[in-house]
Amino acid sequence: FLGRKEIDDDLLEELEELFITSDIGVETTMKIIDSVRDQVDRKTLKNPEDLKNALKEQIFNILNIDNSLVQTADRPYVMMVVGVNGTGKTTSIAKMAKMFKEQGLKTCLAAGDTFRAAAIDQLCVWADRVDVPVVKQSAGSDSAAVIFDAIQSCKAKNFDVLICDTAGRLQTKVNLMKELEKIVRVAKKELPDAPHEVLLVLDATSGQNALSQALKFHEDVGLTGLVLTKLDGTAKGGAIIGIVDELRVPVKFIGFGEGIDDLKPFDAQNFVEALFD
Amino acid sequence: TLNDKLNGVFKKLKKQVRLDENNITEALKMVRMALLEADVNYKVVKNFIGSVQAKAMGEEVLKSLTPDQVFIKIVHDELVEILGGKDYDEGKIRLNSQPPTVIMMAGLQGSGKTTSAGKLAGLLMKQKRNVLLVAGDIYRPAAIDQLETLGKQLNCDVYSDRQSRDAVKIAADALAYAKKTAKDVVIIDTAGRLHIDEELMAELVRTKEAVTPDEILFVADAMTGQDAVNVAKSFNESLEATGIILTKMDGDARGGAALSIKEVTGKPLKFIGTGEKMTEFEAFYPDRMASRILG
Ligand SMILES: Nc1nc2c(ncn2[C@@H]2O[C@H](COP(=O)(O)OP(=O)(O)OP(=O)(O)O)[C@@H](O)[C@H]2O)c(=O)[nH]1
Ligand SMILES: Nc1nc2c(ncn2[C@@H]2O[C@H](COP(=O)(O)OP(=O)(O)OP(=O)(O)O)[C@@H](O)[C@H]2O)c(=O)[nH]1
Ligand SMILES: [Mg+2]
Ligand SMILES: [Mg+2]
């Protein structure tokens, strides 16, 4: 819309289309556009370029909250990775493990997905590639027991970081969400402040259901951060704007590929720029 | 629900004998909102609202009905029609008169291809077919193990080649093996890939050329958002899909992607995944999907 000379209804409709097709959602889109509508009506925003910058600023302000990892004196630093099926939890854990290892942190993984076919095998292949140990039990064993063991073992062996994989689960499945709550309770028996970090992994291709996922997971186990994956596709991942706006839980990392190096800390500025591309 | 909202809109209008521009403008806005909230693509919604408007204008309200009932029926019926009301291809696999029937799975990473391949094998085995699952994903860690585990659960033969770095050759060899062992159906699981990954999309096309599938099933996640049109269009243009599977329908995603995908590809929505178990697989029902999308 840079070709336009003035702000008119056509331009606003074009912006609405850009936002909605980026999965920002109707409600959040209206909220963002309404927030600048006042300036438009009062003519303090006169041209399309100013409007675009005002919108970018609105979104940036929503997203730009402290997204550093939770600080603690505890060892190990326990991270739990959760989310619905297929979003990229296991792969993201492998990427984070490499990242921590390169920072000189003694890292261990816990094979907490004891349910899905070959889930433990999958995590073990990654652990081998990154050269970090995995605490695991046989398939079908109790996920909470595996994670409890892992914390115990990491405490004994002075590990710096423990990243726990969990089985994918739809937020609407009450018994599976209860299992996740149990994992957190059991972890606290071994380390009262664990898990220090609970990351919800969201797929950038998701639509508005991502909000429902975030709300439910946050309500049930408490989230400290989000990981947005598959940004190497054509989806914009705009659903996180409404999520961050509502929960004030920051996006900590983004995944942009299937390779071990395809993860980096979330940068609100870059995200907003990409949205308007 | 949308029904309640529309009820409210029409209640404000006095006894209407006919649907006209005045009384349906507000109602159309509500339907548009409902569809966008359900993740139906922006442009698909625009076209849909246009069709509904055209069908609703001048529609007579019979004495036995209220304007909102007439309106919602037009919306619902239009949605059902697009979703496949006239297709009758739901829940069916096109079997080749010359076995084996070859089925190829395709779709984005994590959409549910491997799980759906197992479910499809289970379904066909119940129909007394001799099925061969093919572990065509040579990239994802433990992908072969995953399919082999499902195969064991189903008591279904799985063809794999752990040494091969050539997915196309694996498919071709699997087909030769299937013919030799008199299989009725071959289901080829493929690696998840992006529609914009030229190399991997070309691999899929070469696989298709090597085994000439009777069915190419595009597997999509029910929670997919606006990008569903771009992905589906790309996959369909490269491969000419023959059917669509919508997974994770056991969640609460409204599933608007179904409408977007159907609209942009024209291909039949055949099955839905309703859970992680091998039995959680059903035929797609247009009218149930329509109600779910409208909310
Ligand atoms: N293109 C792309 N693919 C990704 C990304 N992250 C993960 N994937 C792929 O997505 C698929 C699913 O990843 P997993 O790590 O198994 O996802 P998960 O959440 O652990 O899945 P479940 O445990 O089954 O719930 C795999 O094919 C990954 O390679 C990403 O950032 N980009
Ligand atoms: N709840 C639910 N989960 C499903 C359904 N279909 C698949 N899943 C789960 O979704 C996740 C991904 O499924 P996969 O079959 O591994 O997906 P995929 O497309 O083969 O993934 P890639 O090979 O990595 O591209 C797994 O955790 C499955 O158990 C479904 O219908 N409902
Ligand atoms: Mg996993
Ligand atoms: Mg797979």
Side-chain angles (χ1 to χ4, degrees):
Chain A
F1 45 77
L2 286 189
R4 295 188 183 278
K5 298 237 172 18
E6 57 174 37
I7 297 172
D8 55 13
D9 280 345
D10 278 351
L11 173 58
L12 289 172
E13 182 173 327
E14 226 168 275
L15 287 166
E16 180 196 66
E17 179 169 356
L18 173 68
F19 286 1
I20 290 184
T21 54
S22 302
D23 285 313
I24 293 180
V26 178
E27 196 176 313
T28 305
T29 294
M30 299 207 304
K31 180 171 188 247
I32 296 170
I33 296 197
D34 282 350
S35 70
V36 298
R37 176 147 265 156
D38 209 38
Q39 298 177 58
V40 171
D41 291 344
R42 283 184 285 121
K43 302 273 192 265
T44 49
L45 270 182
K46 294 222 199 73
N47 66 55
E49 195 57 22
D50 289 345
L51 174 62
K52 187 172 160 196
N53 291 330
L55 290 167
K56 280 187 180 178
E57 193 169 351
Q58 279 292 325
I59 299 173
F60 177 79
N61 289 336
I62 291 172
L63 297 176
N64 195 36
I65 46 180
D66 179 17
N67 69 345
S68 56
L69 292 175
V70 172
Q71 299 301 307
T72 177
D74 279 354
R75 286 290 176 276
Y77 183 79
V78 180
M79 304 175 70
M80 205 160 117
V81 178
V82 303
V84 304
N85 308 72
T87 54
K89 297 178 289 304
T90 305
T91 308
S92 299
I93 288 170
K95 297 172 181 177
M96 288 190 282
K98 176 160 193 260
M99 197 178 68
F100 291 130
K101 191 161 187 247
E102 286 178 343
Q103 288 172 16
L105 298 167
K106 196 167 166 201
T107 307
C108 182
L109 305 182
D113 181 352
T114 54
F115 171 73
R116 205 209 69 212
I120 299 171
D121 299 271
Q122 184 186 6
L123 188 68
C124 287
V125 171
W126 277 120
D128 261 2
R129 290 185 190 176
V130 179
D131 190 22
V132 290
V134 185
V135 172
K136 61 183 201 268
Q137 291 178 17
S138 56
S141 51
D142 179 19
S143 183
V146 176
I147 291 176
F148 180 88
D149 273 1
I151 297 177
Q152 223 173 30
S153 165
C154 284
K155 272 168 80 178
K157 299 181 183 160
N158 290 321
F159 273 85
D160 296 311
V161 184
L162 169 65
I163 315 176
C164 306
D165 194 8
T166 62
R169 68 203 68 218
L170 298 183
Q171 72 278 21
T172 48
K173 310 236 157 151
V174 178
N175 58 327
L176 296 183
M177 294 306 285
K178 286 243 179 289
E179 181 197 53
L180 212 52
E181 292 174 37
K182 175 182 166 205
I183 293 174
V184 172
R185 274 203 312 280
V186 168
K188 290 195 177 306
K189 289 201 175 116
E190 189 53 34
L191 197 57
D193 286 348
H196 306 95
E197 193 78 55
V198 180
L199 299 176
L200 175 69
V201 180
L202 296 166
D203 189 325
T205 65
S206 304
Q208 295 312 295
N209 196 254
L211 180 59
S212 158
Q213 293 167 30
L215 291 172
K216 197 76 181 68
F217 272 86
H218 190 50
E219 182 183 337
D220 289 355
V221 289
L223 305 173
T224 60
L226 311 173
V227 177
L228 184 62
T229 63
K230 308 183 195 172
L231 278 171
D232 46 320
T234 50
K236 299 275 180 140
I240 56 132
I241 298 171
I243 293 172
V244 175
D245 193 29
E246 181 146 357
L247 297 181
R248 302 316 283 157
V249 169
V251 179
K252 300 209 170 178
F253 299 104
I254 58 166
F256 48 91
E258 301 191 73
I260 196 66
D261 293 313
D262 300 336
L263 182 96
K264 63 184 174 190
F266 175 75
D267 181 293
Q269 179 97 345
N270 290 341
F271 184 83
V272 174
E273 288 299 327
L275 209 55
F276 281 78
D277 264 346
Chain B
T1 64
L2 179 62
N3 256 313
D4 300 333
K5 293 198 184 117
L6 291 176
N7 207 302
V9 165
F10 283 101
K11 253 197 173 56
K12 289 193 265 153
L13 311 165
K14 294 197 232 69
K15 199 102 189 60
Q16 298 291 316
V17 142
R18 196 166 289 283
L19 294 180
D20 61 26
E21 197 159 318
N22 295 318
N23 58 33
I24 67 172
T25 306
E26 192 61 21
L28 284 172
K29 279 211 190 99
M30 303 226 136
V31 174
R32 178 174 179 270
M33 287 288 266
L35 293 175
L36 288 175
E37 285 166 358
D39 292 324
V40 180
N41 179 268
Y42 191 89
K43 288 209 167 69
V44 172
V45 172
K46 205 164 188 177
N47 295 337
F48 182 82
I49 296 297
S51 313
V52 169
Q53 178 163 25
K55 289 216 163 82
M57 291 293 278
E59 189 74 5
E60 204 177 304
V61 180
L62 300 175
K63 294 252 184 306
S64 55
L65 298 169
T66 55
D68 61 310
Q69 286 174 325
V70 174
F71 185 77
I72 199 83
K73 181 155 188 345
I74 292 173
V75 173
H76 187 92
D77 287 355
E78 180 69 8
L79 200 42
V80 170
E81 178 158 343
I82 300 174
L83 288 171
K86 304 219 174 72
D87 263 346
Y88 303 99
D89 240 1
E90 297 94 22
K92 297 207 196 73
I93 287 293
R94 240 181 259 175
L95 292 170
N96 198 326
S97 53
Q98 307 261 35
T101 293
V102 179
I103 302 171
M104 187 171 95
M105 316 295 285
L108 292 178
Q109 291 90 345
S111 60
K113 297 174 293 300
T114 304
T115 307
S116 300
K119 290 173 179 181
L120 202 47
L123 177 68
L124 292 164
M125 286 171 78
K126 281 212 183 73
Q127 295 172 7
K128 304 281 185 279
R129 313 283 171 194
N130 194 351
V131 182
L132 177 69
L133 280 165
V134 181
D137 181 352
I138 53 172
Y139 307 109
R140 170 173 153 152
I144 297 178
D145 296 304
Q146 185 183 6
L147 194 65
E148 287 188 344
T149 301
L150 296 183
K152 280 205 198 76
Q153 286 175 17
L154 295 160
N155 202 11
C156 180
D157 204 1
V158 177
Y159 182 93
S160 63
D161 183 344
R162 287 173 185 274
Q163 307 310 325
S164 175
R165 301 304 307 158
D166 185 344
V168 181
K169 184 159 187 305
I170 290 175
D173 289 349
L175 182 55
Y177 173 79
K179 287 181 176 157
K180 222 173 64 218
T181 55
K183 301 286 182 194
D184 298 315
V185 187
V186 177
I187 302 174
I188 304 170
D189 185 22
T190 61
R193 68 204 65 211
L194 296 178
H195 52 301
I196 53 172
D197 186 326
E198 295 189 357
E199 210 176 294
L200 285 182
M201 288 307 287
E203 177 191 83
L204 216 45
V205 173
R206 287 201 308 283
T207 305
K208 172 185 179 180
E209 288 167 355
V211 298
T212 51
D214 300 288
E215 289 272 11
I216 296 180
L217 302 175
F218 175 62
V219 181
D221 194 322
M223 58 167 143
T224 311
Q226 296 287 313
D227 204 41
V229 284
N230 300 328
V231 181
K233 188 158 183 278
S234 251
F235 270 89
N236 194 41
E237 278 175 1
S238 299
L239 298 173
E240 203 63 63
T242 59
I244 299 166
I245 297 178
L246 205 60
T247 63
K248 307 175 203 171
M249 284 283 286
D250 44 320
D252 63 356
R254 295 264 290 279
L259 178 59
S260 307
I261 295 171
K262 180 79 217 277
E263 185 74 343
V264 86
T265 64
K267 300 298 161 65
L269 293 148
K270 296 208 169 192
F271 299 97
I272 59 170
T274 55
E276 296 192 74
K277 299 203 196 80
M278 291 296 98
T279 50
E280 294 173 313
F281 200 54
E282 301 174 13
F284 175 85
Y285 287 101
D287 56 345
R288 285 186 205 170
M289 193 78 217
S291 303
R292 178 177 179 136
I293 290 176
L294 291 174

